[in-house]
Amino acid sequence: MTSNTTGHHPGNSVAEGNHEGEFGCTVGDLRTLMELRSGEAVSKIHETYGDVQDICRRLKTSPVEGLSGNPTDLDKRKLVFGQNFIPPKKAKTFLQLVWEALQDVTLIILEIAAIISLGLSFYRPPGGDSELCGEVANQEGEGEAEAGWIEGAAILLSVICVVLVTAFNDWSKEKQFRGLQSRIEQEQKFTVIRKCQVIQIPVAEIVVGDIAQIKYGDLLPADGVLIQGNDLKIDESSLTGESDHVKKSLAKDPMLLSGTHVMEGSGRILVTAVGLNSQTGIIFTLLGAGSDEEEKKNKKAKAQDGVALEIQPLKSEEGGDPEEREKKKSNIPKKEKSVLQGKLTKLAVQIGKAGLLMSAVTVIILVLFFVINTFGFQGRPWLADCTPIYIQYFVKFFIIGVTVLVVAVPEGLPLAVTISLAYSVKKMMKDNNLVRHLDACETMGNATAICSDKTGTLTMNRMTVVQSYIGETHYRQTPAPDALLPKVMERIVNGIAINSAYTTKILPPEKEGGLPRHVGNKTECALLGFVLDLKQDYQAVRNEIPEEKLYKVYTFNSARKSMSTVLKNADGSFRMYSKGASEIILRKCTKLLGKNGDVTVFKVRDRDEMVKKVIEPMACEGLRTICLAYRDFVKEPEWDNENEILSDLTCITVVGIEDPVRPEVPDAIIKCQRAGITVRMVTGDNINTARAIATKCGILNPGEDFLCLEGKEFNRLIRNEKGEVEQDRLDKVWPSLRVLARSSPTDKHTLVKGIIDSTIGEMRQVVAVTGDGTNDGPALKKADVGFAMGIAGTDVAKEASDIILTDDNFTSIVKAVMWGRNVYDSISKFLQFQLTVNVVAVIVAFTGACITQDSPLKAVQMLWVNLIMDTFASLALATEPPTESLLLRKPYGRNKPLISRTMMKNILGHGVYQLTIIFTLLFAGEKFFDIDSGRDAPLHAPPSEHYTIVFNTFVMMQLFNEINARKIHGERNVFEAIFRNPIFCSIIVGTFLIQIIIVELGGKPFSCTGLTLNQWLWCIFIGVGELLWGQVISTVPTSRLKFLKEAGHGTTKDDILEGDLMEDNDEIDHAEMELRRGQILWFRGLNRIQTQIKVVNAFRSSLYEGIEKPESRSSIHNFMTHPEFGMEDDEPRIPLIDETDVEINGLANCAAPSPPNKNNNAVDSGISLPLTDASKFTSPTPGSPLHSLETSV
C-alpha cells in the first residue's frame, strides 16, 4: 500500500527522491504526459523526450527485450511508480454490521417493549393495593415477584442473539464476496515481454517500464505509450463517453489508457502509469475510493438506494449529459432484480402486510378485552396507584402483538436466499463455474434455452490440420515433406509463419508425454502445427523477419473475415500473404499454385469444381476449411483500397482443420433436452460444418422438425421491407431453429432478444448464452445469463458475462443448471417449512390471546421458534446438495409461482394437523395429562407445565416437519439422501438438544418448567405424527384440490408490456414504511453489494461502462445506449451478410456427414486469421475460432 501513496506523492521522502533520480523521469512527469491526447501528446514526446525509444531508455527498459524481471528492480519500480492495484473500499467492520442489523424496525419495537417491561418490573407502586387493581399475581411468592424483570431481559437477550447471527451472516457474506472478487482478479493475466520471453503475469504484477503486448479483445490494465501497432483501434467510451473507436498510431495518437478496450488490431506498448497514477486510478481517487474524508463528504450525495455513488465511475463520461446520467442512475435498481428476487419481494411484502394486520388486531382485542373486563364487568375505578400495574398489562399485550409480527414476517427468507446462493456459488467454483453476479446462479435454474457457441464450448478447441489440397492433389493426411517442391513448401511456410500473430506459438508440453501447448489463436496454432508436421521450423522464418519488418498488416475483423500481411522485398517490390475462410479467399483468387510450383489460371469453373470436389466433402465431415494465398506487387499500390488489394490472388493451398467434439458434450446435451432446455448452436462457421457438428453433438436428431439457417437467410425471414426486425416474424422462426451458421454478432443479439421478448407459448423463455469474443458482448449482456469462456474468452466477453466457465466446457453449463434449480428448490423447501410455522404460530398467538388474554407461546419462546425456523432452517434446507433428478423435470420459467399447488397443499395440510393438536392441548391438555390449567394465569405467574407441554409439542412438530419440507414435489421418501447433508442432520440434532436444555433448565426466562419422561415421550410421539401425516397428505391428489391458490408469481405478460416498474417500487416503499424494513433492506443490501462488487471489479479490470446487465425487459435501445457496443460497429455487418454467406453454390447439397472425421469443428469458415499479433481478430462469430483467436494464452 505504501508504494501506492509513494507513487502518488513523489518526493515525500529523501529516500524516495534518491530512487527517482535513478530513472530519467518522475511519476509526475509521466502522469502529466498521460493526461495529453493525440497531437498534443505527440508534440510533448518530441519536445521533452525525443521519441518513445528515449522514454524506454529513461525508464531503463528495452522495447524489444522488455525488463530483466530482476526482483530488486521490480520492487524498486513499485516503490517509485506505485503498484498496479487500486485499493478496494474498506470492508464494514463487524460492529458496523451489528449496528445495521439493529436498525431493523421489528427489533427496535421489541427492544423498546423489553426496556419498558424491565423498567416497570423494578417499579413498585407505593402502597398500591393489588386487590383493588384486579388479579395480578396474588399467589406469587416473594421470589417470584422479583422475577418480573426476567422476561424483559430474556427478550433483550434474544434480540442480541438475532442481531449477532444476522451480523455474522452479513460479515461472512461480504468476506465471500471479497474472496470471489480477489479470485476473479488473480485469474486476470496480461501478456508482457521480460528477458525476450513473452510471458503472462497477473495484472497486479505489471510495473512501469514493462513492455506489454496488446491485441484485439484486451482490456488495458495500465496506461502506456504505443511502441509498435498494427491497425490498432481502441474503444475509449468507458473513459471519454466517445463511442467511436479511436485509431492509434505512433504518428497521430500513441496514448493508450487503462480501462479501454482494444477493438481491432494488435501492438506493443510501454507501460507508463499503473494503479492510482493511471487515468482510471485518478478518476477513482476523485470519486473518493482512496480516502475516507472524501467518502464522508460524498455520503450526503449518495442516492437513496445507495448504489448511485458507487456506480458513477462506470459512467464517468465527464462530457455526458447530466440528465442522461440521472436517468441511468435511476434505472439501476430495476436492472438488478432477478426472477427469484422479484417473486420473493412480492411474497415477503404480502406476508408482512398480513402479519402487521394480525398483530395490530391482536393488540387491539387484548386491550379492549382487558379494559372492558376490568372497568366494565368488574366495575373497578382507575386508581392512580394502579397505573403502573395497568401499564404493565398493556406492555405485555404490546409485546404479544410484536411477537405475532416477529413470527409472521419471514425475515429468514433473505437469509435463506443468501445462504443458498453463497453456498451454491462456493460449490459451483469446484464445478468450474465462477459466478460473477449472484442472482445468475438462480436464474440459470429457470433457463429454457441455451444459445451456445461451437468452438471451444462444444468442441475441444484443439485444432489440427487433417486434410489439405496442395498442388492440385487432395491429401487425406499430412503429406510427406519430400512430396512437395521446395518452392511450394517455402510459400506454405512463409504464408503461415509470417501471416499470423507472432504471439501465437506452439510450446513443448509441460509434462513429458503430454500434448504440445497451443498459445494464442487456436486456428493459427493448427496451421503452425501443420508447418511442424511438414518438418519445417516456423520460428526460424520469424527470427529472419521480425514483427518490426512487416510493412503493413490487415488484421482480422468481423467485416474482413481474412488477414493479410505485406512484406517489402529488397528490390522495392511487395509480396502480400493472405488467409481466411476458403469461400471468401477463393472468390478473390485468379491463379493457382500448380504441382510443379508454376502458377496456372484459376477460372470460375475451376473454382466451382474445387468447391464440389474438395471443400464440400471436407465441410460435410465437419472440417473448417481455410485457404492460403499470396500476391506480388511490382510497385506500391494504394494500400487503403482494400478491395483492390485483396483481389487477383494466387491460391497456395486449402486445408481442412478439425476440432473434435468434446467427448462429454453429447451426454450433456441429452441431459439438457431431458430437462426441457433447448440447445441452439450459433456459429460463424459455414452451414455444412455446423450441421455436421450439431448432428455429432446431438443438437440435431434424425426425424425431428428443425431449421438450420445461415445469417443471411435468417435476416431475410425476420426483417420487413424496411429492414426492421419484426417480433411476429421472429416468433415463426425461433421455435424450430437449432443451428444458425455464418452469423454475425448482430444476428446473435437479435436472436437472443427475440426469444426473451417472445410471448408465444405458455411460458416465457429464460435464455442463457455462451460466448468468448468481444463481439459476443451485446448478446452476453442481453441474455438472462451470460457464460463467458475463462480460457478462450476476451476480457470484454468476461466483463459482459454473469458466469465464467473456467474450463470452457459445455458440461459445466449443465452443472450450473443443476445448481440453479437446486437454489430455487432450496428456497421453496424453506418457504414450505417456514410458512407452515408462520401460519400456525400466528393463529395460535392470535386466537390464544383473544380467548385466554395471553399468548400460549410467550415472546421469548416465539423468538426461539423464530430462530429455529429462520436461521437454522435456512441453513439446513438451503445447503441441500443437488441431485441428478433435478434435471428430470421441466424448467419453471419466468411466471411460475414460487409456491406451487403441491406446496400449498403441504402447508395447509400440516397447518391443520398442528393447529388441531395445539388447540386440543391448549383447551383439554390439562385433563389429558392430569395437570393444572395454565389458562387465565395472572401477570407474573410462574411457568405452568401445561403451557410448557404446548410449547414443547409445537417445537417437536416443527422439527419433524423440517424433514417433511425436504421434498416439495410430493415425493414420498422424505429421508432420501438425508445423510448426504451433514449440516441438515447436525441442525436437527442440535435443535433437539437445545430444546431439552430450554425446557428443563430454561425456567422463568423461557416460561418453561421441567417435564416428566412420560410427558416428553408424548411430545415426541406427536412430533413423529407429522411424518405419518405427511404420507397421508401426499396421498391426496393435488389435481383434485382446485380451490388451492398458488402464491409468489413472477412477472406477468401485462407487467412486461408496461415495462415500467414504478408500481413495483411504490409497493416496496409502502412496505418499508409500514412493515419490517429488514427484508427490503436486505434485498437492497444484496443489490448494493453486488453493484459494488461489479464496480470494484469493473474498475480493477477497468472502467467499463454498463456492467449491470440490462434487464430482460430492456429493448434494443438499451443495446444502443452502450457505447462500447455502438451499433455503428455492427451496422456494416447486416449488409455484410452476403459476404458472410459466401456460400458457394452447390455447398448445400452435402451428403449426410460421413464417418467421423473427428473434426467437429469446422468453424467459421470466416476463419480466424492469425494475425500478426496475437489475436488480432474479431471472431466473426462466436463459434468461430476466430473467436478464440483473441485468447492468446
Side-chain angles (χ1 to χ4, degrees):
M1 271 316 228
T2 15
S3 47
N4 274 332
T5 32
T6 331
H8 218 344
H9 313 288
N12 276 352
S13 66
V14 188
E16 200 182 317
N18 296 345
H19 278 309
E20 291 219 336
E22 296 178 23
F23 295 102
C25 38
T26 65
V27 178
D29 298 342
L30 292 173
R31 237 173 104 162
T32 318
L33 176 64
M34 292 317 295
E35 282 164 10
L36 302 174
R37 301 282 175 277
S38 51
E40 292 177 3
V42 177
S43 51
K44 170 83 173 171
I45 291 174
H46 286 313
E47 287 164 23
T48 316
Y49 303 100
D51 61 3
V52 180
Q53 309 293 332
D54 194 49
I55 304 180
C56 291
R57 278 192 289 282
R58 293 189 182 209
L59 290 173
K60 303 188 175 175
T61 182
S62 152
V64 179
E65 296 175 11
L67 293 175
S68 64
N70 172 347
T72 331
D73 176 51
L74 296 179
D75 290 343
K76 191 187 298 169
R77 288 172 189 274
K78 285 181 185 171
L79 192 66
V80 177
F81 298 109
Q83 289 175 304
N84 197 20
F85 165 75
I86 292 176
K89 273 199 149 163
K90 269 215 219 98
K92 286 188 175 152
T93 63
F94 187 69
L95 285 176
Q96 284 172 310
L97 292 169
V98 167
W99 175 247
E100 278 180 17
L102 279 169
Q103 309 300 307
D104 188 334
V105 180
T106 326
L107 290 180
I108 291 175
I109 296 173
L110 266 182
E111 288 155 22
I112 293 169
I115 289 166
I116 294 174
S117 165
L118 263 179
L120 291 173
S121 66
F122 291 124
Y123 176 67
R124 288 279 161 269
D129 186 347
S130 45
E131 275 306 318
L132 295 174
C133 301
E135 31 176 307
V136 181
N138 301 334
Q139 73 273 51
E140 278 187 17
E142 255 315 291
E144 283 295 352
E146 296 300 310
W149 63 273
I150 292 179
E151 184 171 37
I155 294 179
L156 281 180
L157 199 68
S158 330
V159 167
I160 290 170
C161 281
V162 173
V163 166
L164 289 177
V165 168
T166 316
F168 179 74
N169 274 305
D170 287 345
W171 178 77
S172 56
K173 185 170 72 185
E174 184 144 326
K175 197 166 148 221
Q176 264 176 338
F177 273 138
R178 287 187 180 261
L180 177 66
Q181 191 47 39
S182 61
R183 159 97 192 251
I184 291 176
E185 271 153 37
Q186 284 157 11
E187 301 225 328
Q188 226 188 329
K189 299 215 160 131
F190 209 75
T191 312
V192 297
I193 301 172
R194 285 190 182 170
K195 275 205 293 204
C196 287
Q197 296 291 310
V198 176
I199 56 168
Q200 293 245 318
I201 59 170
V203 166
E205 294 297 312
I206 293 175
V207 294
V208 169
D210 259 323
I211 305 298
Q213 289 199 335
I214 60 170
K215 61 184 183 309
Y216 145 83
D218 280 344
L219 195 148
L220 301 182
D223 293 352
V225 180
L226 192 63
I227 295 175
Q228 174 262 322
N230 301 317
D231 214 4
L232 201 57
K233 286 190 186 159
I234 308 284
D235 171 9
E236 296 188 344
S237 57
S238 54
L239 273 178
T240 62
E242 181 57 58
S243 55
D244 293 342
H245 296 168
V246 183
K247 264 194 146 167
K248 296 288 179 182
S249 64
L250 279 168
K252 293 196 178 140
D253 185 0
M255 314 309 271
L256 289 107
L257 308 175
S258 58
T260 57
H261 293 113
V262 183
M263 299 314 271
E264 253 180 60
S266 63
R268 283 204 319 268
I269 65 168
L270 164 68
V271 175
T272 53
V274 294
L276 287 173
N277 298 309
S278 67
Q279 294 302 299
T280 306
I282 292 168
I283 292 180
F284 214 74
T285 317
L286 291 176
L287 284 161
S291 73
D292 297 336
E293 288 156 36
E294 290 272 350
E295 206 170 288
K296 283 175 197 144
K297 281 186 221 158
N298 283 337
K299 268 198 181 149
K300 293 175 191 157
K302 269 204 187 185
Q304 301 277 302
D305 355 36
V307 285
L309 177 78
E310 292 92 357
I311 286 281
Q312 253 169 322
L314 301 185
K315 322 270 189 215
S316 57
E317 300 141 42
E318 295 108 305
D321 177 356
E323 273 179 41
E324 279 298 304
R325 287 216 293 271
E326 280 308 309
K327 262 186 238 164
K328 282 187 192 169
K329 251 187 247 179
S330 60
N331 285 344
I332 288 159
K334 293 187 192 173
K335 290 184 179 173
E336 288 293 333
K337 223 183 255 176
S338 72
V339 180
L340 181 70
Q341 269 177 320
K343 291 179 182 180
L344 279 178
T345 309
K346 276 190 173 172
L347 194 68
V349 168
Q350 289 161 358
I351 296 173
K353 285 181 176 169
L356 196 66
L357 189 71
M358 289 291 269
S359 64
V361 173
T362 310
V363 174
I364 292 166
I365 291 179
L366 284 171
V367 171
L368 286 178
F369 194 100
F370 174 76
V371 170
I372 293 167
N373 187 30
T374 310
F375 304 118
F377 295 127
Q378 300 178 19
R380 297 177 188 280
W382 180 299
L383 299 174
D385 288 346
C386 294
T387 305
I389 290 177
Y390 294 146
I391 289 179
Q392 266 184 326
Y393 266 111
F394 292 145
V395 168
K396 175 179 153 185
F397 298 151
F398 183 61
I399 288 178
I400 291 170
V402 175
T403 310
V404 173
L405 179 63
V406 171
V407 176
V409 173
E411 60 271 52
L413 253 185
L415 191 60
V417 182
T418 312
I419 292 174
S420 183
L421 289 175
Y423 171 75
S424 306
V425 166
K426 215 168 180 179
K427 296 285 187 191
M428 283 168 80
M429 289 257 193
K430 291 184 183 152
D431 285 340
N432 303 308
N433 283 288
L434 184 84
V435 181
R436 292 180 68 239
H437 302 160
L438 260 195
D439 51 12
C441 161
E442 142 268 313
T443 310
M444 199 52 216
N446 292 319
T448 54
I450 296 175
C451 295
S452 177
D453 224 348
K454 175 165 69 69
T455 315
T457 313
L458 300 174
T459 59
M460 293 172 83
N461 202 9
R462 188 173 180 90
M463 314 246 187
T464 34
V465 173
V466 287
Q467 297 186 24
S468 52
Y469 179 81
I470 306 172
E472 300 169 50
T473 312
H474 188 165
Y475 296 94
R476 298 262 163 196
Q477 42 274 273
T478 309
D482 51 12
L484 304 178
L485 291 177
K487 184 179 174 186
V488 177
M489 181 71 89
E490 182 250 347
R491 300 274 153 89
I492 293 174
V493 175
N494 286 358
I496 292 172
I498 296 168
N499 187 29
S500 57
Y502 276 39
T503 48
T504 301
K505 303 187 168 78
I506 295 183
L507 302 176
E510 286 178 339
K511 298 190 184 94
E512 267 189 63
L515 293 166
R517 284 180 294 149
H518 286 184
V519 175
N521 175 265
K522 303 298 187 223
T523 309
E524 295 185 345
C525 286
L527 294 169
L528 293 175
F530 181 56
V531 171
L532 297 177
D533 291 343
L534 291 170
K535 305 285 183 282
Q536 304 296 308
D537 180 11
Y538 68 85
Q539 196 54 51
V541 177
R542 288 180 172 182
N543 293 344
E544 192 183 323
I545 305 174
E547 219 170 340
E548 294 76 46
K549 287 197 185 166
L550 303 180
Y551 189 77
K552 177 148 185 72
V553 179
Y554 295 95
T555 55
F556 186 89
N557 63 27
S558 48
R560 231 176 245 150
K561 290 204 184 324
S562 67
M563 171 183 180
S564 309
T565 301
V566 181
L567 296 176
K568 186 170 186 176
N569 301 327
D571 59 3
S573 62
F574 297 89
R575 169 165 289 178
M576 176 180 76
Y577 289 105
S578 294
K579 70 169 188 287
S582 54
E583 306 93 295
I584 291 173
I585 298 288
L586 276 180
R587 283 197 308 185
K588 300 179 177 174
C589 288
T590 53
K591 307 188 196 68
L592 179 71
L593 202 60
K595 273 189 198 132
N596 310 321
D598 47 349
V599 175
T600 57
V601 179
F602 186 60
K603 300 198 178 104
V604 175
R605 197 177 58 245
D606 301 329
R607 189 175 72 207
D608 294 346
E609 181 78 4
M610 187 166 168
V611 166
K612 242 187 221 92
K613 298 268 178 67
V614 180
I615 294 178
E616 271 187 28
M618 284 186 186
C620 288
E621 290 177 33
L623 301 186
R624 163 195 270 171
T625 53
I626 287 190
C627 175
L628 302 179
Y630 75 97
R631 177 179 178 184
D632 287 323
F633 299 92
V634 180
K635 59 176 193 295
E636 186 158 5
E638 178 58 55
W639 296 115
D640 290 340
N641 185 355
E642 279 186 47
N643 288 340
E644 179 56 36
I645 300 281
L646 213 65
S647 61
D648 197 21
L649 304 176
T650 304
C651 172
I652 305 173
T653 174
V654 171
V655 294
I657 296 182
E658 153 182 283
D659 183 6
V661 167
R662 288 178 177 266
E664 63 280 359
V665 162
D667 285 347
I669 287 183
I670 290 170
K671 279 184 190 165
C672 282
Q673 290 164 342
R674 211 185 291 137
I677 300 169
T678 310
V679 181
R680 295 180 173 85
M681 181 201 283
V682 183
T683 175
D685 223 340
N686 76 51
I687 196 151
N688 295 315
T689 308
R691 194 185 284 124
I693 292 191
T695 308
K696 286 181 192 171
C697 293
I699 292 174
L700 301 180
N701 295 315
E704 280 184 0
D705 173 28
F706 56 76
L707 280 177
C708 288
L709 294 177
E710 287 205 320
K712 190 179 181 184
E713 179 64 8
F714 172 69
N715 277 287
R716 198 179 56 71
L717 293 173
I718 63 167
R719 293 178 188 273
N720 59 20
E721 303 69 46
K722 295 180 188 159
E724 296 160 347
V725 177
E726 287 191 357
Q727 189 67 44
D728 298 349
R729 292 180 177 221
L730 192 56
D731 285 345
K732 290 180 189 143
V733 176
W734 74 258
S736 52
L737 180 70
R738 290 294 175 276
V739 174
L740 182 58
R742 281 271 171 262
S743 64
S744 69
T746 319
D747 297 338
K748 192 170 186 176
H749 180 271
T750 307
L751 175 66
V752 172
K753 180 179 183 303
I755 298 179
I756 291 176
D757 291 349
S758 174
T759 49
I760 56 172
E762 71 275 14
M763 78 180 178
R764 292 189 59 232
Q765 301 282 309
V766 176
V767 183
V769 168
T770 67
D772 57 2
T774 301
N775 47 12
D776 293 328
L780 285 170
K781 231 180 213 179
K782 177 69 205 166
D784 293 293
V785 181
F787 285 92
M789 302 297 134
I791 302 168
T794 58
D795 292 344
V796 180
K798 289 178 188 172
E799 204 57 65
S801 69
D802 300 287
I803 295 179
I804 295 173
L805 296 177
T806 52
D807 61 348
D808 289 12
N809 189 338
F810 190 83
T811 328
S812 304
I813 299 178
V814 180
K815 289 189 179 141
V817 171
M818 203 156 84
W819 276 107
R821 292 187 173 189
N822 192 54
V823 167
Y824 212 87
D825 279 8
S826 297
I827 287 160
S828 294
K829 288 171 189 175
F830 173 72
L831 267 176
Q832 175 176 305
F833 171 70
Q834 180 165 37
L835 293 182
T836 311
V837 189
N838 278 11
V839 169
V840 175
V842 170
I843 293 176
V844 168
F846 176 71
T847 47
C850 298
I851 296 169
T852 67
Q853 280 71 69
D854 188 8
S855 167
L857 297 173
K858 301 291 182 282
V860 177
Q861 294 174 352
M862 289 278 217
L863 284 167
W864 163 237
V865 170
N866 213 29
L867 197 69
I868 306 176
M869 70 183 198
D870 275 2
T871 312
F872 294 163
S874 57
L875 251 179
L877 293 168
T879 52
E880 288 271 327
T883 57
E884 287 281 333
S885 60
L886 287 167
L887 295 174
L888 299 177
R889 62 166 174 78
K890 298 281 176 271
Y892 287 146
R894 250 176 233 281
N895 12 14
K896 172 101 168 44
L898 266 179
I899 300 173
S900 62
R901 278 228 174 94
T902 310
M903 287 168 63
M904 198 58 98
K905 175 184 79 176
N906 293 340
I907 292 170
L908 296 180
H910 289 292
V912 167
Y913 173 83
Q914 295 184 12
L915 286 171
T916 312
I917 297 285
I918 297 270
F919 284 134
T920 308
L921 287 177
L922 190 57
F923 297 110
E926 71 273 23
K927 300 191 183 82
F928 180 79
F929 285 107
D930 192 22
I931 49 179
D932 294 334
S933 166
R935 293 190 302 281
D936 300 327
L939 191 59
H940 291 302
S944 63
E945 269 185 294
H946 182 189
Y947 273 17
T948 304
I949 289 175
V950 173
F951 167 59
N952 199 27
T953 308
F954 180 68
V955 172
M956 289 301 128
M957 289 193 292
Q958 302 323 322
L959 264 186
F960 287 98
N961 193 32
E962 198 165 333
I963 298 173
N964 278 330
R966 293 182 69 244
K967 301 293 173 195
I968 51 173
H969 299 297
E971 301 93 330
R972 284 193 173 280
N973 181 7
V974 292
F975 291 102
E976 184 191 355
I978 192 166
F979 294 115
R980 271 185 63 207
N981 186 358
I983 300 180
F984 184 87
C985 301
S986 48
I987 282 180
I988 292 283
V989 173
T991 311
F992 184 68
L993 295 175
I994 297 174
Q995 179 64 15
I996 295 176
I997 295 168
I998 286 177
V999 171
E1000 296 302 319
L1001 309 174
K1004 180 80 181 171
F1006 278 95
S1007 309
C1008 288
T1009 177
L1011 298 180
T1012 65
L1013 182 63
N1014 187 32
Q1015 290 165 340
W1016 264 103
L1017 291 173
W1018 271 108
C1019 293
I1020 293 170
F1021 171 71
I1022 294 170
V1024 174
E1026 267 287 9
L1027 295 173
L1028 306 173
W1029 183 247
Q1031 297 301 312
V1032 175
I1033 294 176
S1034 55
T1035 314
V1036 180
T1038 313
S1039 51
R1040 292 279 174 82
L1041 308 172
K1042 296 280 186 227
F1043 63 88
L1044 285 181
K1045 285 269 182 285
E1046 299 159 323
H1049 285 266
T1051 29
T1052 58
K1053 285 185 195 176
D1054 308 340
D1055 298 346
I1056 290 141
L1057 297 173
E1058 284 164 23
D1060 212 344
L1061 296 185
M1062 289 317 290
E1063 300 112 87
D1064 201 71
N1065 289 356
D1066 285 352
E1067 183 178 20
I1068 291 175
D1069 288 339
H1070 291 316
E1072 249 172 5
M1073 292 187 282
E1074 66 190 7
L1075 172 235
R1076 89 189 233 57
R1077 233 164 82 247
Q1079 322 112 333
I1080 283 88
L1081 280 178
W1082 183 83
F1083 287 122
R1084 289 219 171 141
L1086 177 59
N1087 282 352
R1088 195 170 305 169
I1089 293 176
Q1090 285 172 342
T1091 310
Q1092 284 167 349
I1093 281 213
K1094 291 176 194 170
V1095 173
V1096 175
N1097 186 21
F1099 248 106
R1100 286 280 162 75
S1101 46
S1102 101
L1103 276 180
Y1104 178 63
E1105 211 230 20
I1107 278 183
E1108 335 76 31
K1109 181 166 196 181
E1111 209 204 357
S1112 51
R1113 272 168 221 194
S1114 54
S1115 66
I1116 187 97
H1117 305 298
N1118 263 17
F1119 171 45
M1120 296 167 125
T1121 54
H1122 288 297
E1124 69 273 26
F1125 300 118
M1127 290 293 270
E1128 307 93 73
D1129 213 315
D1130 283 329
E1131 269 159 23
R1133 293 178 198 153
I1134 298 170
L1136 265 175
I1137 295 166
D1138 325 34
E1139 189 177 326
T1140 338
D1141 118 288
V1142 205
E1143 268 292 91
I1144 308 180
N1145 314 333
L1147 217 62
N1149 34 345
C1150 214
S1154 58
N1157 178 196
K1158 295 185 193 127
N1159 171 119
N1160 300 329
N1161 212 35
V1163 184
D1164 199 26
S1165 288
I1167 242 82
S1168 46
L1169 306 194
L1171 245 293
T1172 78
D1173 236 278
S1175 262
K1176 306 179 163 181
F1177 323 359
T1178 309
S1179 159
T1181 106
S1184 98
L1186 299 193
H1187 262 79
S1188 20
L1189 263 193
E1190 52 251 4
T1191 113
S1192 160
V1193 186

